[in-house]
Every structure is written in structure tokens, then in C-alpha cells.
Coordinates of all heavy atoms in Angstrom, one line a residue:
M168 N 1.3 -113.5 56.3 CA 2.7 -114.1 56.4 C 3.6 -113.2 57.2 O 4.5 -113.7 57.9 CB 3.2 -114.4 55.0 CG 4.7 -114.8 55.1 SD 5.4 -114.8 53.4 CE 7.1 -114.9 53.9
N169 N 3.5 -111.9 57.0 CA 4.5 -111.0 57.6 C 4.2 -110.6 59.0 O 5.1 -110.0 59.7 CB 4.6 -109.7 56.7 CG 5.1 -110.1 55.4 OD1 5.9 -111.0 55.2 ND2 4.7 -109.4 54.3
G170 N 3.0 -110.8 59.5 CA 2.8 -110.6 60.9 C 2.5 -109.1 61.2 O 2.3 -108.3 60.3
N171 N 2.5 -108.8 62.5 CA 2.1 -107.4 62.9 C 3.4 -106.5 62.7 O 4.4 -106.8 63.3 CB 1.7 -107.4 64.4 CG 1.2 -106.1 64.9 OD1 1.4 -105.1 64.3 ND2 0.5 -106.2 66.0
P172 N 3.3 -105.4 62.0 CA 4.5 -104.6 61.8 C 5.0 -103.9 63.1 O 6.1 -103.5 63.2 CB 4.0 -103.5 60.7 CG 2.6 -103.7 60.6 CD 2.2 -105.0 61.2
T173 N 4.1 -103.8 64.0 CA 4.5 -103.1 65.3 C 5.6 -104.0 66.0 O 6.5 -103.4 66.5 CB 3.3 -102.9 66.2 OG1 2.3 -102.2 65.5 CG2 3.6 -102.2 67.5
Y174 N 5.4 -105.3 66.0 CA 6.4 -106.1 66.6 C 7.7 -106.1 65.9 O 8.8 -106.1 66.5 CB 5.9 -107.6 66.7 CG 4.7 -107.8 67.5 CD1 3.6 -108.5 67.0 CD2 4.6 -107.2 68.8 CE1 2.4 -108.6 67.8 CE2 3.4 -107.4 69.6 CZ 2.4 -108.1 69.0 OH 1.2 -108.3 69.8
H175 N 7.7 -106.0 64.6 CA 8.9 -105.9 63.8 C 9.6 -104.5 64.1 O 10.8 -104.4 64.2 CB 8.7 -106.0 62.3 CG 8.2 -107.4 62.0 ND1 9.1 -108.5 62.1 CD2 7.0 -107.8 61.5 CE1 8.4 -109.6 61.6 NE2 7.2 -109.2 61.3
A176 N 8.8 -103.5 64.2 CA 9.4 -102.1 64.5 C 10.0 -102.1 65.9 O 11.1 -101.5 66.1 CB 8.3 -101.1 64.4
I177 N 9.3 -102.7 66.9 CA 9.9 -102.7 68.2 C 11.2 -103.5 68.3 O 12.2 -103.1 68.9 CB 8.9 -103.3 69.2 CG1 7.7 -102.3 69.4 CG2 9.5 -103.6 70.6 CD1 6.5 -102.9 70.1
A178 N 11.2 -104.7 67.6 CA 12.4 -105.5 67.6 C 13.6 -104.8 66.8 O 14.7 -104.8 67.3 CB 12.1 -106.8 66.9
L179 N 13.2 -104.1 65.8 CA 14.2 -103.3 65.0 C 14.8 -102.2 65.8 O 16.0 -101.9 65.9 CB 13.7 -102.8 63.7 CG 14.6 -102.1 62.8 CD1 15.8 -103.0 62.4 CD2 13.9 -101.6 61.5
A180 N 13.9 -101.5 66.6 CA 14.4 -100.4 67.4 C 15.3 -100.9 68.5 O 16.4 -100.3 68.8 CB 13.2 -99.6 68.0
A181 N 14.9 -102.0 69.2 CA 15.7 -102.6 70.2 C 17.0 -103.1 69.7 O 18.1 -102.9 70.3 CB 14.9 -103.7 70.9
G182 N 17.0 -103.7 68.6 CA 18.2 -104.2 68.0 C 19.2 -103.1 67.6 O 20.4 -103.2 67.7
T183 N 18.6 -102.0 67.1 CA 19.4 -100.9 66.7 C 20.1 -100.3 68.0 O 21.3 -99.9 68.0 CB 18.6 -99.8 66.0 OG1 18.0 -100.4 64.8 CG2 19.4 -98.6 65.7
L184 N 19.4 -100.1 69.0 CA 19.9 -99.6 70.3 C 21.0 -100.5 70.9 O 21.9 -100.0 71.5 CB 18.8 -99.3 71.3 CG 17.9 -98.1 70.9 CD1 16.7 -98.1 71.9 CD2 18.6 -96.8 70.9
L185 N 20.8 -101.8 70.8 CA 21.7 -102.7 71.4 C 22.9 -103.1 70.5 O 24.0 -103.3 71.1 CB 21.0 -104.0 71.8 CG 19.9 -103.9 72.8 CD1 19.2 -105.2 73.0 CD2 20.6 -103.5 74.2
A186 N 22.8 -103.1 69.2 CA 23.8 -103.7 68.4 C 24.6 -102.6 67.6 O 25.7 -102.9 67.1 CB 23.3 -104.7 67.4
L187 N 24.1 -101.4 67.4 CA 24.7 -100.5 66.5 C 25.7 -99.5 67.2 O 26.8 -99.3 66.6 CB 23.6 -99.7 65.8 CG 24.0 -98.9 64.6 CD1 24.6 -99.8 63.5 CD2 22.8 -98.1 64.0
P188 N 25.5 -99.0 68.4 CA 26.5 -98.0 68.9 C 27.9 -98.5 69.0 O 28.8 -97.7 68.7 CB 25.9 -97.6 70.2 CG 24.4 -98.0 70.2 CD 24.4 -99.2 69.3
I189 N 28.1 -99.6 69.6 CA 29.5 -100.1 69.8 C 30.3 -100.3 68.6 O 31.5 -99.8 68.5 CB 29.5 -101.3 70.8 CG1 29.1 -100.9 72.1 CG2 30.9 -101.9 70.9 CD1 29.0 -101.9 73.2
P190 N 29.8 -101.0 67.5 CA 30.6 -101.1 66.3 C 30.9 -99.8 65.6 O 32.0 -99.5 65.1 CB 29.8 -102.0 65.4 CG 28.8 -102.7 66.3 CD 28.6 -101.8 67.5
V191 N 29.9 -98.9 65.7 CA 30.1 -97.5 65.1 C 31.2 -96.8 65.9 O 32.1 -96.1 65.3 CB 28.8 -96.7 65.0 CG1 29.1 -95.3 64.6 CG2 27.9 -97.4 64.0
A192 N 31.2 -96.9 67.2 CA 32.2 -96.2 68.0 C 33.6 -96.8 67.7 O 34.6 -96.1 67.7 CB 31.8 -96.4 69.5
I193 N 33.7 -98.1 67.6 CA 34.9 -98.8 67.3 C 35.5 -98.3 65.9 O 36.7 -98.0 65.8 CB 34.8 -100.3 67.3 CG1 34.6 -100.8 68.7 CG2 36.0 -101.0 66.7 CD1 34.2 -102.3 68.8
L194 N 34.6 -98.2 64.9 CA 35.1 -97.7 63.6 C 35.5 -96.3 63.6 O 36.2 -95.8 62.7 CB 34.0 -98.0 62.6 CG 33.8 -99.5 62.3 CD1 32.6 -99.7 61.3 CD2 35.0 -100.1 61.7
T195 N 35.0 -95.5 64.6 CA 35.4 -94.1 64.7 C 36.7 -93.9 65.6 O 37.1 -92.8 65.8 CB 34.3 -93.2 65.2 OG1 33.9 -93.7 66.5 CG2 33.1 -93.2 64.3
G196 N 37.2 -95.0 66.1 CA 38.5 -94.9 66.8 C 38.5 -95.4 68.3 O 39.5 -95.5 68.9
W197 N 37.3 -95.6 68.9 CA 37.3 -96.0 70.3 C 37.5 -97.5 70.4 O 37.0 -98.3 69.5 CB 35.9 -95.7 70.8 CG 35.7 -96.2 72.2 CD1 36.2 -95.6 73.4 CD2 34.8 -97.2 72.6 NE1 35.7 -96.4 74.5 CE2 34.9 -97.3 74.0 CE3 34.0 -98.1 71.9 CZ2 34.2 -98.3 74.7 CZ3 33.3 -99.1 72.6 CH2 33.4 -99.2 74.0
T198 N 38.2 -98.0 71.4 CA 38.4 -99.4 71.6 C 37.9 -99.8 72.9 O 38.3 -99.2 73.9 CB 39.9 -99.8 71.4 OG1 40.4 -99.3 70.2 CG2 40.1 -101.3 71.5
P199 N 37.0 -100.8 73.0 CA 36.5 -101.3 74.3 C 37.6 -101.8 75.2 O 38.6 -102.3 74.7 CB 35.5 -102.4 74.0 CG 35.2 -102.3 72.5 CD 36.4 -101.5 71.9
R200 N 37.5 -101.8 76.5 CA 38.5 -102.2 77.4 C 38.9 -103.7 77.1 O 40.0 -104.0 77.2 CB 38.0 -102.1 78.8 CG 39.0 -102.3 79.9 CD 38.5 -102.0 81.3 NE 37.6 -100.8 81.3 CZ 36.6 -100.7 82.2 NH1 36.4 -101.6 83.1 NH2 35.9 -99.6 82.1
G201 N 37.9 -104.5 76.8 CA 38.2 -105.9 76.6 C 39.0 -106.2 75.4 O 39.6 -107.3 75.2
L202 N 39.0 -105.3 74.4 CA 39.8 -105.4 73.2 C 41.0 -104.6 73.1 O 41.7 -104.5 72.0 CB 38.9 -105.1 72.0 CG 37.7 -106.1 71.7 CD1 36.9 -105.6 70.5 CD2 38.3 -107.5 71.4
R203 N 41.4 -103.9 74.2 CA 42.6 -103.0 74.1 C 43.8 -103.7 73.7 O 44.7 -103.2 73.0 CB 42.7 -102.3 75.4 CG 41.6 -101.3 75.7 CD 42.0 -99.9 75.8 NE 40.9 -99.0 75.7 CZ 40.2 -98.6 76.8 NH1 40.5 -98.9 78.0 NH2 39.1 -97.8 76.6
G204 N 44.0 -105.0 74.2 CA 45.2 -105.7 73.8 C 45.1 -106.3 72.4 O 46.1 -106.6 71.8
R205 N 43.9 -106.3 71.8 CA 43.7 -106.7 70.5 C 43.3 -105.6 69.6 O 42.4 -105.8 68.7 CB 42.6 -107.8 70.5 CG 42.9 -109.0 71.3 CD 41.8 -109.9 71.3 NE 42.2 -111.3 71.4 CZ 41.4 -112.3 71.0 NH1 40.2 -112.1 70.6 NH2 41.9 -113.5 71.1
R206 N 43.9 -104.4 69.8 CA 43.4 -103.2 69.0 C 43.3 -103.5 67.5 O 42.4 -103.0 66.9 CB 44.3 -102.1 69.4 CG 43.9 -100.8 68.7 CD 44.7 -99.6 69.2 NE 44.5 -99.3 70.6 CZ 43.7 -98.3 71.0 NH1 43.1 -97.6 70.1 NH2 43.5 -98.1 72.3
P207 N 44.3 -104.1 66.9 CA 44.2 -104.3 65.4 C 43.0 -105.2 65.0 O 42.5 -105.1 63.9 CB 45.5 -105.0 65.0 CG 46.4 -104.8 66.1 CD 45.6 -104.6 67.3
A208 N 42.5 -106.0 65.9 CA 41.4 -106.9 65.6 C 40.1 -106.3 65.9 O 39.0 -106.8 65.5 CB 41.5 -108.2 66.5
A209 N 40.0 -105.1 66.5 CA 38.8 -104.5 66.9 C 38.0 -104.1 65.6 O 36.7 -104.2 65.6 CB 39.0 -103.2 67.8
R210 N 38.6 -103.6 64.6 CA 37.9 -103.1 63.4 C 37.2 -104.3 62.7 O 36.0 -104.2 62.3 CB 38.8 -102.4 62.5 CG 39.2 -101.0 63.1 CD 40.1 -100.2 62.1 NE 39.4 -99.8 60.9 CZ 38.6 -98.7 60.9 NH1 38.4 -97.9 61.9 NH2 38.0 -98.3 59.7
P211 N 37.9 -105.5 62.5 CA 37.1 -106.6 61.9 C 36.0 -107.1 62.7 O 34.9 -107.5 62.2 CB 38.2 -107.7 61.7 CG 39.5 -107.0 61.7 CD 39.3 -105.8 62.5
Y212 N 36.1 -107.0 64.1 CA 35.0 -107.4 64.9 C 33.8 -106.4 64.7 O 32.7 -106.8 64.6 CB 35.4 -107.3 66.4 CG 36.2 -108.5 66.9 CD1 37.4 -108.3 67.6 CD2 35.7 -109.8 66.8 CE1 38.1 -109.4 68.1 CE2 36.4 -110.9 67.2 CZ 37.6 -110.7 67.9 OH 38.2 -111.8 68.4
A213 N 34.1 -105.1 64.6 CA 33.1 -104.1 64.4 C 32.4 -104.4 63.0 O 31.2 -104.3 62.9 CB 33.7 -102.7 64.4
W214 N 33.2 -104.7 62.0 CA 32.5 -104.9 60.7 C 31.7 -106.2 60.7 O 30.6 -106.2 60.1 CB 33.6 -105.1 59.6 CG 34.2 -103.7 59.2 CD1 35.4 -103.3 59.3 CD2 33.5 -102.7 58.5 NE1 35.5 -102.0 58.8 CE2 34.4 -101.6 58.3 CE3 32.1 -102.5 58.1 CZ2 34.0 -100.4 57.7 CZ3 31.8 -101.3 57.4 CH2 32.7 -100.3 57.3
A215 N 32.1 -107.2 61.5 CA 31.3 -108.4 61.6 C 30.0 -108.1 62.3 O 28.9 -108.6 61.9 CB 32.1 -109.5 62.4
V216 N 30.0 -107.3 63.4 CA 28.8 -107.0 64.1 C 27.9 -106.1 63.2 O 26.6 -106.3 63.2 CB 29.1 -106.4 65.4 CG1 27.8 -105.9 66.1 CG2 29.8 -107.3 66.3
L217 N 28.5 -105.2 62.4 CA 27.6 -104.4 61.5 C 27.0 -105.3 60.5 O 25.8 -105.0 60.1 CB 28.5 -103.3 60.9 CG 28.8 -102.1 61.8 CD1 29.6 -101.1 61.1 CD2 27.5 -101.5 62.3
A218 N 27.7 -106.3 60.0 CA 27.1 -107.2 59.0 C 25.9 -108.0 59.6 O 24.9 -108.1 59.0 CB 28.1 -108.2 58.4
L219 N 26.1 -108.4 60.9 CA 25.0 -109.1 61.5 C 23.9 -108.1 61.9 O 22.7 -108.5 61.8 CB 25.5 -109.8 62.8 CG 26.5 -110.9 62.6 CD1 27.0 -111.4 63.9 CD2 25.8 -112.0 61.8
Y220 N 24.2 -106.9 62.2 CA 23.1 -105.9 62.4 C 22.3 -105.6 61.2 O 21.1 -105.5 61.2 CB 23.7 -104.6 62.9 CG 22.7 -103.5 62.8 CD1 21.7 -103.4 63.8 CD2 22.7 -102.5 61.8 CE1 20.7 -102.4 63.7 CE2 21.7 -101.6 61.7 CZ 20.7 -101.5 62.6 OH 19.8 -100.5 62.5
T221 N 23.0 -105.6 60.0 CA 22.3 -105.4 58.8 C 21.2 -106.4 58.5 O 20.2 -106.1 57.8 CB 23.3 -105.3 57.6 OG1 24.3 -104.4 57.9 CG2 22.6 -104.9 56.3
L222 N 21.3 -107.6 59.1 CA 20.3 -108.6 59.0 C 18.9 -108.1 59.6 O 17.9 -108.5 59.1 CB 20.7 -109.9 59.7 CG 21.8 -110.7 59.1 CD1 22.2 -111.7 60.0 CD2 21.4 -111.2 57.8
M223 N 19.0 -107.3 60.6 CA 17.8 -106.9 61.3 C 16.9 -106.0 60.4 O 15.7 -106.4 60.2 CB 18.2 -106.1 62.6 CG 18.8 -107.0 63.6 SD 19.2 -106.0 65.1 CE 20.5 -106.9 65.8
P224 N 17.4 -104.9 59.9 CA 16.5 -104.2 59.0 C 16.2 -104.9 57.7 O 15.1 -104.8 57.1 CB 17.2 -102.9 58.7 CG 18.6 -103.1 59.1 CD 18.6 -104.2 60.1
L225 N 17.1 -105.7 57.2 CA 16.9 -106.5 56.0 C 15.7 -107.4 56.1 O 15.0 -107.7 55.1 CB 18.2 -107.2 55.6 CG 18.2 -108.0 54.3 CD1 18.1 -107.0 53.1 CD2 19.4 -108.8 54.1
N226 N 15.6 -108.0 57.3 CA 14.4 -108.9 57.5 C 13.2 -108.2 58.0 O 12.1 -108.6 57.7 CB 14.8 -110.0 58.4 CG 15.7 -111.1 57.7 OD1 15.3 -111.5 56.7 ND2 16.8 -111.4 58.3
A227 N 13.4 -107.1 58.7 CA 12.2 -106.5 59.4 C 11.5 -105.6 58.4 O 10.2 -105.6 58.4 CB 12.6 -105.7 60.6
V228 N 12.2 -104.7 57.6 CA 11.5 -103.7 56.8 C 10.6 -104.3 55.7 O 9.5 -103.9 55.6 CB 12.6 -102.8 56.2 CG1 12.0 -101.9 55.2 CG2 13.3 -102.0 57.3
P229 N 11.0 -105.4 55.0 CA 10.1 -105.9 54.0 C 8.8 -106.5 54.7 O 7.7 -106.4 54.2 CB 10.8 -107.1 53.4 CG 12.3 -106.7 53.6 CD 12.3 -106.0 54.9
R230 N 9.0 -107.0 55.9 CA 7.8 -107.6 56.6 C 6.9 -106.4 57.1 O 5.7 -106.5 57.1 CB 8.3 -108.4 57.8 CG 8.8 -109.8 57.3 CD 9.5 -110.5 58.5 NE 9.7 -111.9 58.3 CZ 10.6 -112.4 57.4 NH1 11.3 -111.6 56.6 NH2 10.8 -113.7 57.3
M231 N 7.5 -105.3 57.5 CA 6.8 -104.2 58.0 C 6.0 -103.5 56.9 O 4.9 -103.0 57.0 CB 7.7 -103.1 58.6 CG 8.3 -103.5 59.9 SD 9.6 -102.5 60.5 CE 8.9 -100.9 60.5
L232 N 6.6 -103.6 55.7 CA 5.9 -103.0 54.5 C 4.9 -104.0 53.8 O 4.4 -103.7 52.8 CB 7.0 -102.6 53.5 CG 7.9 -101.5 53.9 CD1 9.0 -101.2 52.9 CD2 7.1 -100.2 54.3
D233 N 4.8 -105.2 54.4 CA 3.9 -106.2 53.9 C 4.3 -106.6 52.5 O 3.5 -106.6 51.6 CB 2.5 -105.8 54.0 CG 1.5 -107.1 53.9 OD1 2.0 -108.1 54.3 OD2 0.4 -106.9 53.5
A234 N 5.6 -106.8 52.3 CA 6.1 -107.1 50.9 C 5.7 -108.6 50.5 O 5.2 -109.3 51.4 CB 7.6 -107.1 50.9
S235 N 5.8 -108.9 49.3 CA 5.4 -110.2 48.8 C 6.4 -111.2 49.4 O 7.5 -110.9 49.9 CB 5.5 -110.2 47.3 OG 6.8 -110.1 46.8
A236 N 5.9 -112.5 49.3 CA 6.7 -113.6 49.8 C 8.0 -113.7 49.0 O 9.0 -114.0 49.6 CB 5.9 -114.9 49.7
D237 N 8.0 -113.4 47.8 CA 9.3 -113.4 47.0 C 10.3 -112.4 47.5 O 11.5 -112.7 47.5 CB 9.0 -113.2 45.5 CG 8.2 -114.4 44.9 OD1 8.3 -115.5 45.4 OD2 7.5 -114.2 43.9
A238 N 9.8 -111.2 47.8 CA 10.7 -110.1 48.3 C 11.3 -110.5 49.6 O 12.5 -110.3 49.9 CB 10.0 -108.8 48.3
V239 N 10.4 -111.1 50.5 CA 10.9 -111.5 51.8 C 11.9 -112.6 51.7 O 13.0 -112.6 52.4 CB 9.7 -111.9 52.7 CG1 10.2 -112.5 54.0 CG2 8.8 -110.7 53.0
M240 N 11.7 -113.5 50.8 CA 12.6 -114.6 50.6 C 13.9 -114.1 50.0 O 15.0 -114.6 50.4 CB 12.0 -115.7 49.7 CG 12.8 -116.9 49.5 SD 13.2 -117.8 51.1 CE 11.6 -118.4 51.5
A241 N 13.9 -113.2 49.1 CA 15.1 -112.6 48.5 C 15.9 -111.9 49.6 O 17.1 -112.1 49.6 CB 14.8 -111.6 47.4
C242 N 15.3 -111.2 50.5 CA 16.0 -110.6 51.6 C 16.6 -111.6 52.6 O 17.7 -111.4 53.1 CB 15.1 -109.6 52.4 SG 14.6 -108.2 51.4
T243 N 15.9 -112.7 52.8 CA 16.4 -113.8 53.6 C 17.6 -114.4 53.0 O 18.6 -114.7 53.7 CB 15.3 -114.8 53.9 OG1 14.2 -114.2 54.5 CG2 15.8 -115.9 54.8
V244 N 17.6 -114.7 51.7 CA 18.7 -115.2 51.0 C 19.9 -114.3 51.1 O 21.1 -114.7 51.3 CB 18.4 -115.6 49.6 CG1 19.6 -116.0 48.7 CG2 17.4 -116.7 49.5
L245 N 19.7 -113.0 50.9 CA 20.7 -112.0 51.0 C 21.3 -112.0 52.4 O 22.5 -111.7 52.6 CB 20.2 -110.6 50.6 CG 21.2 -109.5 50.6 CD1 22.4 -109.8 49.7 CD2 20.5 -108.2 50.2
G246 N 20.5 -112.3 53.4 CA 21.0 -112.4 54.8 C 22.0 -113.5 54.9 O 23.0 -113.3 55.7
F247 N 21.9 -114.6 54.2 CA 23.0 -115.6 54.3 C 24.3 -115.1 53.8 O 25.3 -115.5 54.3 CB 22.5 -116.9 53.6 CG 21.4 -117.6 54.3 CD1 20.2 -117.7 53.7 CD2 21.7 -118.2 55.5 CE1 19.2 -118.4 54.4 CE2 20.7 -118.9 56.1 CZ 19.4 -119.0 55.6
V248 N 24.3 -114.2 52.8 CA 25.5 -113.6 52.3 C 26.1 -112.7 53.4 O 27.3 -112.7 53.6 CB 25.2 -112.8 51.0 CG1 26.4 -112.0 50.5 CG2 24.7 -113.7 49.9
L249 N 25.3 -112.0 54.1 CA 25.8 -111.2 55.2 C 26.3 -112.0 56.3 O 27.3 -111.6 56.9 CB 24.7 -110.2 55.7 CG 24.3 -109.1 54.7 CD1 23.0 -108.5 55.2 CD2 25.4 -108.1 54.6
I250 N 25.7 -113.1 56.6 CA 26.3 -114.0 57.6 C 27.6 -114.5 57.2 O 28.6 -114.6 58.0 CB 25.3 -115.2 57.9 CG1 24.0 -114.6 58.6 CG2 25.9 -116.3 58.7 CD1 22.9 -115.7 58.7
A251 N 27.8 -114.9 55.9 CA 29.1 -115.4 55.5 C 30.1 -114.2 55.6 O 31.3 -114.5 55.9 CB 29.0 -115.8 54.0
A252 N 29.7 -113.0 55.3 CA 30.7 -111.9 55.4 C 31.0 -111.7 56.8 O 32.2 -111.4 57.1 CB 30.0 -110.6 54.8
A253 N 30.1 -111.8 57.8 CA 30.4 -111.7 59.2 C 31.4 -112.8 59.6 O 32.3 -112.5 60.4 CB 29.1 -111.7 60.0
V254 N 31.2 -114.0 59.2 CA 32.1 -115.1 59.5 C 33.5 -114.8 59.0 O 34.5 -115.0 59.7 CB 31.5 -116.4 59.0 CG1 32.6 -117.5 59.1 CG2 30.3 -116.8 59.7
G255 N 33.6 -114.3 57.8 CA 34.9 -113.9 57.3 C 35.5 -112.8 58.1 O 36.8 -112.9 58.3
C256 N 34.8 -111.8 58.5 CA 35.3 -110.8 59.4 C 35.8 -111.3 60.7 O 36.8 -110.9 61.2 CB 34.3 -109.7 59.6 SG 34.0 -108.7 58.1
F257 N 35.0 -112.2 61.3 CA 35.4 -112.8 62.6 C 36.7 -113.6 62.4 O 37.6 -113.6 63.3 CB 34.3 -113.7 63.1 CG 33.2 -113.0 63.9 CD1 31.9 -113.2 63.5 CD2 33.5 -112.1 64.9 CE1 30.9 -112.5 64.2 CE2 32.5 -111.4 65.5 CZ 31.2 -111.6 65.2
I258 N 36.8 -114.4 61.3 CA 38.1 -115.1 61.0 C 39.2 -114.1 60.9 O 40.3 -114.4 61.4 CB 37.9 -116.0 59.8 CG1 36.9 -117.2 60.2 CG2 39.2 -116.6 59.3 CD1 36.5 -118.0 59.0
Q259 N 39.0 -113.1 60.1 CA 40.1 -112.1 59.9 C 40.5 -111.4 61.3 O 41.7 -111.2 61.5 CB 39.6 -111.0 59.0 CG 40.6 -109.8 58.8 CD 41.8 -110.3 58.1 OE1 41.8 -111.2 57.3 NE2 42.9 -109.6 58.3
A260 N 39.5 -111.2 62.1 CA 39.8 -110.6 63.4 C 40.6 -111.5 64.3 O 41.6 -111.1 64.9 CB 38.5 -110.2 64.2
E261 N 40.3 -112.8 64.2 CA 41.1 -113.8 65.0 C 42.5 -113.9 64.5 O 43.4 -114.0 65.3 CB 40.4 -115.2 65.0 CG 41.0 -116.2 65.8 CD 41.1 -115.8 67.3 OE1 40.2 -115.1 67.8 OE2 42.1 -116.2 67.9
R262 N 42.6 -114.0 63.2 CA 44.0 -114.0 62.6 C 44.8 -112.8 63.0 O 46.0 -112.9 63.3 CB 43.9 -114.2 61.1 CG 43.5 -115.6 60.7 CD 43.5 -115.8 59.2 NE 43.0 -117.1 58.9 CZ 42.7 -117.5 57.7 NH1 42.8 -116.6 56.7 NH2 42.3 -118.7 57.4
T263 N 44.2 -111.6 62.9 CA 44.9 -110.4 63.2 C 45.3 -110.4 64.7 O 46.4 -110.0 65.0 CB 44.0 -109.2 62.9 OG1 43.6 -109.2 61.5 CG2 44.7 -107.9 63.2
A264 N 44.4 -110.8 65.5 CA 44.7 -110.8 67.0 C 45.8 -111.8 67.3 O 46.7 -111.6 68.1 CB 43.5 -111.2 67.8
R265 N 45.8 -113.0 66.6 CA 46.8 -114.0 66.8 C 48.2 -113.5 66.3 O 49.2 -113.7 67.0 CB 46.5 -115.3 66.1 CG 47.3 -116.4 66.4 CD 46.8 -117.7 65.9 NE 45.5 -118.0 66.5 CZ 44.6 -118.8 66.0 NH1 44.8 -119.4 64.8 NH2 43.5 -119.1 66.6
R266 N 48.2 -112.8 65.2 CA 49.5 -112.2 64.7 C 50.0 -111.2 65.6 O 51.2 -111.1 65.9 CB 49.3 -111.7 63.3 CG 49.6 -112.7 62.2 CD 49.5 -112.0 60.9 NE 48.1 -111.6 60.8 CZ 47.5 -111.2 59.7 NH1 48.1 -111.2 58.6 NH2 46.2 -110.9 59.7
A267 N 49.1 -110.3 66.1 CA 49.5 -109.3 67.1 C 50.0 -109.9 68.4 O 51.0 -109.4 69.0 CB 48.4 -108.3 67.3
G268 N 49.4 -111.0 68.8 CA 49.8 -111.6 70.0 C 51.2 -112.3 69.9 O 52.0 -112.2 70.9
T269 N 51.5 -112.9 68.8 CA 52.8 -113.5 68.6 C 53.9 -112.4 68.5 O 55.0 -112.6 68.9 CB 52.8 -114.4 67.4 OG1 52.5 -113.7 66.2 CG2 51.9 -115.6 67.6
K270 N 53.6 -111.3 67.9 CA 54.6 -110.2 67.8 C 54.9 -109.6 69.2 O 56.0 -109.2 69.4 CB 54.1 -109.1 66.9 CG 54.1 -109.5 65.4 CD 53.6 -108.4 64.6 CE 53.5 -108.8 63.1 NZ 52.9 -107.8 62.3
Q271 N 53.9 -109.6 70.1 CA 54.2 -109.0 71.4 C 55.0 -110.0 72.2 O 55.8 -109.5 73.0 CB 52.9 -108.8 72.1 CG 52.1 -107.6 71.5 CD 50.7 -107.5 72.2 OE1 50.3 -108.3 73.0 NE2 50.0 -106.5 71.8
V272 N 54.9 -111.3 72.1 CA 55.6 -112.3 72.8 C 57.1 -112.3 72.4 O 58.0 -112.4 73.2 CB 55.0 -113.7 72.7 CG1 55.8 -114.7 73.4 CG2 53.6 -113.6 73.3
A273 N 57.3 -112.2 71.1 CA 58.7 -112.3 70.5 C 59.6 -111.2 70.9 O 59.3 -110.2 71.4 CB 58.6 -112.5 69.0

């Protein structure tokens, strides 16, 4: 059921290299050029991407360890909680950016 662990390890390594550095940099104080006007919204965006990144090891590691179907299913269900948290962070980021945008215009 879990497949070849090598494929999961490669996907996890690629996902880590692609998805992890920018949110961590944002949380340490750096703001990407595209979000400079929305600086207050950058942190919720970073938390949302980190919540989505957490899905990668959450789904890959149990499969790499050849865990039982129940353990894999429990991790998958927990993934839906992380998706909901990411959606909440994206909504918070949008509201924060909208408030900051109206303050600048006024």
C-alpha cells in the first residue's frame, strides 16, 4: 500500500527545498518584493505555507516507514486539519492586507 520509500524520500526532499526556505525567511523578518506593500500580511502567508508544508512529511514519513493502514489514514485525516489551518491563515492574511490597504488610502 505504501509504495517505494525512495520515491517518497525524493518527493519530501524536493518539497522541503521548494516550500520551506521562503516561509522560514519571512518569519525571521525578510519580506519578498511582491509582499512589501502587504508587510503585515506576510506572516500569515508564511504560516499558511508552513501548514501546507507540514502535510508533506506527515504523509510521506509513515509511508516511508511502511506504517499500518490505520496510521497512514490517521495522518491523512490530520492533514485535513492542517489544510483548514492554512485556509484560516490565508483568510487572516487577506483581511490584514485589506485593512492595511484601506489605512494607506485614507
Side-chain angles (χ1 to χ4, degrees):
M168 171 189 165
N169 294 329
N171 188 344
T173 305
Y174 297 130
H175 293 293
I177 292 169
L179 183 58
T183 299
L184 290 173
L185 293 173
L187 195 58
I189 291 178
V191 170
I193 289 172
L194 291 174
T195 59
W197 175 75
T198 305
R200 191 175 320 150
L202 290 176
R203 293 238 166 95
R205 300 174 146 200
R206 184 174 290 262
R210 291 183 67 83
Y212 280 127
W214 283 114
V216 173
L217 283 178
L219 293 175
Y220 165 76
T221 306
L222 291 169
M223 292 179 206
L225 186 66
N226 282 311
V228 171
R230 286 170 167 66
M231 289 168 56
L232 298 175
D233 200 27
S235 68
D237 292 335
V239 172
M240 185 58 67
C242 289
T243 302
V244 169
L245 183 57
F247 288 112
V248 174
L249 289 169
I250 291 171
V254 168
C256 289
F257 280 128
I258 291 170
Q259 176 67 27
E261 184 58 33
R262 287 182 180 168
T263 303
R265 191 170 294 157
R266 271 184 293 198
T269 58
K270 287 180 184 175
Q271 291 174 354
V272 173

